[in-house]
Amino acid sequence: MRSNEVKRGIDRVAHRALLKALGVLDSEIDKPFIGIANAYNTIVPGHMTLDKLTQAVKEGVYAAGGVPFEFGVIGICDGIAMGHDGMCFSLPSRELVADSIEAMVEAHRFDGLVVVGSCDKIIPGMLMAVLRLNIPAIVVTGGPMIPEKVNEQRISIMDAFEAAGRFKAGKINEFELKLYEDFCAPYCGSCQGLFTANTMQILTETLGLSLPYASTSPCASSRKLRIAKMSGQRVVELVKQNLKPLDIINERSFENAVTMDMLIGGSTNTVLHLPAIANEAGVKLSLDLFDEISRKTPHIVALDPASKDYVVDLDESGGVPMIIRKAKRFFHNELTVSGKRIYEIADMAVLRGRDIIRDISNPYRKEGGIAILRGNIAERGSVIKTAALSEEMMKFEGVAKVFDGEKEALNAILNGKIEEGDVVVIRYMGPKGAPGMPEMLLPTAAISGMGLKRVALLTDGRFSGATRGPCVGHISPEAAEGGNIALIKDGDVIRMDVKARSINAEVSKDEFAERREKWKPRERKLRGYLAKYAKLVRGADEGAILS
């Protein structure tokens, strides 16, 4: 066992003394030491019950004959960080999560690891650490939030973001605005729809790194506690079997995750996170692979923002196992941390409520819920969530209105300066340019809330999973690197054709060359972590990993 390095032998007397200071008994010294990385805090709704889940994990570890040691992990709430400079820290926090877990596990020589987390960048960072460390490990995800109702309709946090635009447009009054504020996030858990947090939880289960139904079991449910306790037991068994993440995860596992992403129409942020996670396993996930799988995978689940169904509805429909059961031929039959292969788990799936998973013969669309677009604006690629895009907007032409930042764009939208047929271009929002590639949920929510139906938004930043409509993100190369998005001007005609996978400005090569001669990169004074991050981060097309 790795932990013998800190607890066995005469020269480890002081080490054992320090362990005994923690309450470790002589009878426990020779048992497996299990690290538990807990992202609990009191600022993120998805994290506020992780202390209870971690306690259940500890009980499971004890029951199976291990010794648990808990340590903390940071977590940023994207919703609270949204729309101001704090959002620049969200994506960069993924690397901090991964690095801090690596440091704690390596320094203390744990035999096994359980990561307990929820929400957007925390789960990807934890998965990166799990694969990087490659010791027996299991993931316990916090689970989705349960929705409440306003005006007899169930709502999600997306409705709160859009409520501001609806109020500005005179569609709701101040009393109704307050109702959305009070009931859009009524419980603990990851925000109700298929946004980044819940998408990543579902993909974690699909990869095989969490137990069945971990991703869709509601936050604070008794089943979630049982899954946490079973995860604690299972990690001790994994240590005894010496079964490591890279014995389970391979290129086919990631193909399964991308396939699931397309079947459910998940958040575009997965196109950043899955390549970064795969990189830790020595697997390269290209944008071409996402598009290749998208073209042959039907879209069979529509959750908020693509519909008014939520992750709790998917859970009642049989969750991840039922999706795999209905679309089995699209998946590789890979091993999971449970010891079972995904087909075996899928065969035991149970429908408990209304079935919202369509058969593959009757999909919402014949292609997956995410598409990769390329053209003279995005020579290295860009991403659009087709699952939340109307059929009539699959092909669009409009006139550019260009903004060098999110705040300027948001003010223009809310003050009625954006009209039907416009293409809002928000640049210098990329991994290096912002830095940190902030999400553009406030502008997209304002467009929806204002009732604008034929307005597209393009950015070298990224979008929340709650974003809907013709929104193209991750444009690479980004403006700060001299990508052509930096050269777009007000009035340029921009054409988008999702089925053709193209996005182009009606600007000739000669005109772009002439504009480039006059272009100067925008300078921004940075300090601290963001200064380091901006120097090291790669483009969105590479998963915004650090060099």
Side-chain angles (χ1 to χ4, degrees):
M1 291 190 295
R2 278 167 43 108
S3 61
N4 287 343
E5 296 177 41
V6 299
K7 65 188 185 185
R8 297 291 292 275
I10 298 298
D11 58 346
R12 294 295 186 259
V13 171
H15 300 66
R16 291 192 294 273
L18 290 169
L19 290 168
K20 289 182 177 180
L22 301 169
V24 176
L25 305 176
D26 284 330
S27 60
E28 294 176 321
I29 287 291
D30 288 331
K31 294 181 177 181
F33 280 12
I34 308 297
I36 305 176
N38 179 10
Y40 166 77
N41 59 53
T42 59
I43 185 62
V44 184
H47 291 191
M48 65 184 183
T49 58
L50 296 185
D51 56 337
K52 295 179 177 61
L53 286 185
T54 299
Q55 181 58 37
V57 172
K58 290 179 185 176
E59 291 169 5
V61 170
Y62 278 125
V67 184
F69 296 89
E70 177 186 350
F71 60 91
V73 176
I74 68 162
I76 288 175
C77 178
D78 278 20
I80 296 174
M82 196 77 65
H84 53 83
D85 286 348
M87 180 47 73
C88 291
F89 287 88
S90 176
L91 181 59
S93 74
R94 183 185 72 182
E95 319 306 314
L96 293 175
V97 169
D99 292 351
S100 62
I101 294 173
E102 177 193 12
M104 288 295 289
V105 170
E106 293 288 31
H108 299 102
R109 313 310 291 164
F110 293 126
D111 300 304
L113 173 66
V114 182
V115 294
V116 185
S118 186
C119 299
D120 295 32
K121 309 310 161 300
I122 296 87
I123 293 172
M126 287 180 160
L127 291 173
M128 290 167 67
V130 162
L131 296 181
R132 184 186 303 172
L133 289 161
N134 197 34
I135 65 171
I138 196 165
V139 181
V140 177
T141 50
M145 185 183 290
I146 297 171
E148 283 276 21
K149 291 182 178 180
V150 167
N151 295 329
E152 300 183 357
Q153 285 195 332
R154 291 191 303 172
I155 53 175
S156 75
I157 194 64
M158 183 190 76
D159 295 282
F161 278 104
E162 292 186 359
R166 295 178 66 194
F167 178 75
K168 290 282 284 187
K171 296 182 177 182
I172 58 174
N173 59 33
E174 202 165 329
F175 176 77
E176 291 173 302
L177 184 67
K178 182 69 159 55
L179 283 178
Y180 285 106
E181 182 178 318
D182 290 346
F183 291 99
C184 279
Y187 300 105
C188 67
S190 297
C191 297
Q192 306 93 326
L194 193 60
F195 314 144
T196 308
N198 283 320
T199 302
M200 286 309 307
Q201 292 187 79
I202 288 170
L203 298 191
T204 299
E205 185 177 334
T206 305
L207 281 167
L209 290 174
S210 60
L211 292 182
Y213 302 102
S215 63
T216 57
S217 297
C219 179
S221 66
S222 59
R223 183 161 50 130
K224 178 62 73 176
L225 286 173
R226 295 196 299 274
I227 289 171
K229 188 178 290 187
M230 288 188 292
S231 298
Q233 293 177 321
R234 181 60 183 153
V235 75
V236 177
E237 295 169 1
L238 293 172
V239 170
K240 292 176 180 178
Q241 296 168 9
N242 195 31
L243 187 61
K244 300 173 184 178
L246 294 184
D247 298 325
I248 296 169
I249 297 296
N250 53 44
E251 188 173 352
R252 294 183 301 277
S253 307
F254 285 103
E255 289 176 2
N256 282 346
V258 176
T259 296
M260 178 62 74
D261 203 13
M262 300 306 165
L263 287 163
I264 64 177
S267 166
T268 52
N269 282 315
T270 57
V271 183
L272 282 175
H273 297 320
L274 284 176
I277 297 162
N279 182 63
E280 300 291 350
V283 174
K284 181 172 177 58
L285 286 189
S286 67
L287 292 184
D288 289 335
L289 178 65
F290 280 86
D291 207 54
E292 175 188 331
I293 292 176
S294 177
R295 287 184 181 276
K296 65 183 182 183
T297 307
H299 174 213
I300 63 172
V301 177
L303 300 178
D304 185 40
S307 77
K308 295 307 289 184
D309 287 325
Y310 301 94
V311 177
V312 293
D313 299 310
L314 176 60
D315 186 61
E316 291 181 0
S317 296
V320 168
M322 187 63 81
I323 296 173
I324 295 173
R325 180 170 160 182
K326 287 193 173 187
K328 188 179 286 187
R329 69 182 178 87
F330 294 96
F331 289 94
H332 306 288
N333 190 21
E334 296 307 300
L335 187 64
T336 73
V337 287
S338 70
K340 298 181 174 68
R341 292 187 177 272
I342 64 170
Y343 286 5
E344 183 181 356
I345 296 169
D347 288 342
M348 296 186 292
V350 177
L351 174 66
R352 297 185 294 107
R354 181 170 55 92
D355 189 358
I356 67 167
I357 306 169
R358 289 193 175 186
D359 292 328
I360 59 172
S361 61
N362 180 37
Y364 290 97
R365 284 201 176 101
K366 293 181 179 180
E367 294 188 354
I370 292 175
I372 307 301
L373 311 184
R374 286 189 168 86
N376 66 3
I377 297 176
E379 294 172 310
R380 296 208 309 255
S382 62
V383 182
I384 187 170
K385 183 173 181 174
T386 59
L389 182 64
S390 66
E391 189 66 31
E392 65 181 20
M393 293 300 292
M394 296 287 278
K395 196 171 185 179
F396 181 76
E397 178 181 314
V399 177
K401 288 189 176 175
V402 183
F403 303 91
D404 288 345
E406 178 189 12
K407 292 178 182 177
E408 296 89 342
L410 182 60
N411 288 336
I413 295 164
L414 292 176
N415 291 319
K417 296 180 180 179
I418 302 301
E419 302 171 346
E420 299 286 13
D422 286 342
V423 177
V424 178
V425 178
I426 308 179
R427 60 194 180 192
Y428 295 103
M429 292 286 103
K432 288 184 179 294
M437 207 179 178
E439 291 182 348
M440 302 286 107
L441 179 55
L442 287 184
T444 60
I447 288 169
S448 295
M450 296 284 284
L452 296 167
K453 302 295 185 184
R454 293 189 57 79
V455 171
L457 194 151
L458 277 57
T459 182
D460 50 5
R462 58 194 177 92
F463 296 114
S464 164
T467 293
R468 55 178 171 163
C471 301
V472 181
H474 305 204
I475 288 177
S476 301
E478 62 174 292
E481 289 189 308
N484 284 344
I485 188 174
L487 309 177
I488 299 297
K489 291 183 177 181
D490 286 345
D492 286 346
V493 174
I494 293 176
R495 287 196 175 98
M496 175 182 77
D497 187 336
V498 175
K499 292 181 179 178
R501 299 298 198 263
S502 66
I503 184 163
N504 289 285
E506 278 196 357
V507 179
S508 68
K509 288 184 179 180
D510 289 343
E511 175 63 20
F512 268 138
E514 187 177 323
R515 292 181 187 183
R516 188 174 301 282
E517 288 181 5
K518 300 174 183 177
W519 173 76
K520 291 182 180 179
R522 191 182 70 158
E523 293 184 8
R524 184 173 181 184
K525 292 183 179 179
L526 298 171
R527 58 195 296 269
Y529 179 54
L530 288 183
K532 300 173 189 174
Y533 182 85
K535 288 179 181 178
L536 297 174
V537 70
R538 296 188 194 176
D541 57 307
E542 297 183 76
I545 60 174
L546 301 187
S547 299

